[in-house]
Amino acid sequence: MIVGVECTAHTFGIGIVDKGKILANVKDMYSPASGGIVPMDSAKHHKNVSEKLWNEALEKSGISEKDIDAIALSNAPGLSPCLIAGLHFAKEKAAELGVPIVPVNHCIAHLEIGRSVGAHDPVLLYASGANTQIIAFAAGKYRIFGETLDIGVGNFIDKVARHFGMPFPGGPKLEVAAKTGKYIELPYSIKGMDVSFSGMQTKLQQLFDKGAKVEDLAFSLQETAFPMLVEAAERALAHTGKKELVLGGGVACNSRLQEMCRIMCQERGAKFFCPERSLLVDNAAMIAYTGEIMFNSGIKENAKNVDIKPRERTDEVNVIWR
Ligand code: AMP
Ligand code: MG
């Protein structure tokens, strides 16, 4: 029985997994009234909700604390104050229960959870606020095949939406507006396997200031930014010869992005996996799920020795569990 703790950014969550089965997945999100995440405030949020969520998860799963074999902690990558809040909590619990900690890379967990819905060896299109990466397992490691050269696709969408007067999170609001929009050409920016969004952001803001309709801009944003992601993901499939695509991250909740991925996979005979919403966004079930796989291959650390790794890259992780 593994309890997972997610803490890397705005979400604090507790997830419980037993033999690959998710028994609980509860979370609480820090959401600032205006503007972006203030890391110290998010960390305070995590501290405030952690004990309550811990109890809630135990209650939901019906397990007792003595059943817990280890605590899986998302110790990387992320915002330092948030990671520290999670680390303190996990260490406290690990000491109390006398169990080890399994340190889990958050990005890899987004990929591994795809295995809970049937993927075996997928390419992950990870499209979230801060992160935009295409990740797959190759030559012994999880490698980043493509990524954003500037900001994450979600942050890009939120910035544009804020310029249009829509509060955070802008993604869902722009998705609704896009339904009645018409196409305007925007800068399509993909270099090799990498994407960038700042040129499109500037263009969208200029067009808005000149009086273009929000619906048209929202539609065109989706029809330009998402194909960039799908193109890079398709190239990763072609390059690695893999036959499965998994979606992850908050932006993956967008039904147009899902549709584009589904069509691309159909056309090249690949399988498409889109986990349910609660597993797409930041969540602790994916941390517990990944932690259990790692634990079963012998990865566990004395709580005293675990530290945060705010900048750990996906390909720095020593993958001994596959
Ligand atoms: P995450 O960083 O994974 O928690 O995801 C949060 C990001 O997902 C924010 O930038 C949201 O605007 C974005 N997002 C959530 N739902 C949607 C949607 N339906 N379409 C586009 N972006 C979305
Ligand atoms: Mg995430």
Side-chain angles (χ1 to χ4, degrees), residues 130-133 146-153 193-197:
N131 297 298
T132 300
Q133 296 186 337
E147 64 188 318
T148 180
L149 296 171
D150 42 39
I151 54 175
V153 62
M193 308 282 273
D194 295 329
V195 294
S196 80
F197 298 105

Side-chain angles (χ1 to χ4, degrees), residues 8-318:
T8 56
H10 48 50
T11 297
F12 189 89
I14 302 287
I16 302 180
V17 165
D18 185 27
K19 297 181 195 74
K21 203 165 166 266
I22 297 166
L23 304 181
N25 185 22
V26 298
K27 66 178 169 80
D28 194 280
M29 199 175 139
Y30 153 78
S31 45
S34 66
I37 299 181
V38 180
M40 291 305 284
D41 289 347
S42 184
K44 248 185 245 154
H45 159 269
H46 292 1
K47 230 176 138 184
N48 289 338
V49 300
S50 49
E51 196 62 42
K52 176 180 120 280
L53 289 173
W54 175 272
N55 293 329
E56 207 178 307
L58 284 177
E59 205 169 292
K60 274 217 167 116
S61 64
I63 70 158
S64 79
E65 286 189 339
K66 66 174 179 358
D67 300 327
I68 299 169
D69 294 305
I71 297 185
L73 170 70
S74 62
N75 73 322
L79 303 168
S80 297
C82 303
L83 293 170
I84 289 169
L87 180 74
H88 283 167
F89 181 75
K91 281 192 172 183
E92 208 181 284
K93 289 293 178 193
E96 241 176 76
L97 303 174
V99 298
I101 291 182
V102 183
V104 175
N105 177 290
H106 174 95
C107 307
I108 289 178
H110 272 291
L111 186 143
E112 291 290 359
I113 196 64
R115 301 219 257 169
S116 77
V117 292
H120 295 289
D121 183 18
V123 167
L124 169 74
L125 171 53
Y126 177 26
S128 77
N131 297 298
T132 300
Q133 296 186 337
I134 290 140
I135 301 170
F137 187 76
K141 284 190 167 175
Y142 283 105
R143 309 212 178 247
I144 300 168
F145 282 85
E147 64 188 318
T148 180
L149 296 171
D150 42 39
I151 54 175
V153 62
N155 285 355
F156 152 70
I157 290 173
D158 294 334
K159 280 186 185 186
V160 170
R162 197 179 308 156
H163 190 84
F164 296 172
M166 297 167 165
F168 176 87
K173 297 168 191 94
L174 282 184
E175 181 174 5
V176 173
K179 290 198 193 318
T180 53
K182 285 201 277 303
Y183 181 72
I184 303 169
E185 191 168 332
L186 295 172
Y188 184 94
S189 180
I190 178 159
K191 297 187 178 90
M193 308 282 273
D194 295 329
V195 294
S196 80
F197 298 105
S198 52
M200 203 189 316
Q201 182 192 331
T202 306
K203 184 78 189 174
L204 282 160
Q205 291 174 347
Q206 284 170 350
L207 288 167
F208 176 81
D209 293 343
K210 282 190 208 142
K213 275 177 63 187
V214 167
E215 290 77 6
D216 295 347
L217 297 174
F219 177 76
S220 308
L221 179 157
Q222 292 195 169
E223 297 305 308
T224 312
F226 295 164
M228 285 161 45
L229 300 177
V230 177
E231 180 184 335
E234 179 167 23
R235 275 211 217 123
L237 285 168
H239 181 75
T240 57
K242 295 191 196 291
K243 297 249 173 283
E244 298 172 337
L245 180 71
V246 166
L247 270 182
V251 181
C253 297
N254 186 289
S255 29
R256 181 62 177 135
L257 177 59
Q258 292 175 8
E259 183 185 20
M260 288 183 194
C261 289
R262 196 173 298 116
I263 293 170
M264 180 272 279
C265 286
Q266 260 165 17
E267 285 179 352
R268 56 178 302 112
K271 277 194 189 154
F272 174 52
F273 298 91
C274 184
E276 63 177 77
R277 198 190 156 83
S278 62
L279 299 177
L280 272 182
V281 298
D282 286 354
N283 69 88
M286 70 179 186
I287 305 299
Y289 185 87
T290 308
E292 185 178 52
I293 297 172
M294 294 168 68
F295 181 82
N296 287 340
S297 75
I299 301 173
K300 55 191 115 181
E301 285 187 32
N302 189 318
K304 284 202 294 282
N305 302 331
V306 180
D307 203 353
I308 62 165
K309 295 181 176 172
R311 296 186 169 276
E312 179 175 72
R313 298 264 301 169
T314 308
D315 54 10
E316 285 171 38
V317 177
N318 189 15

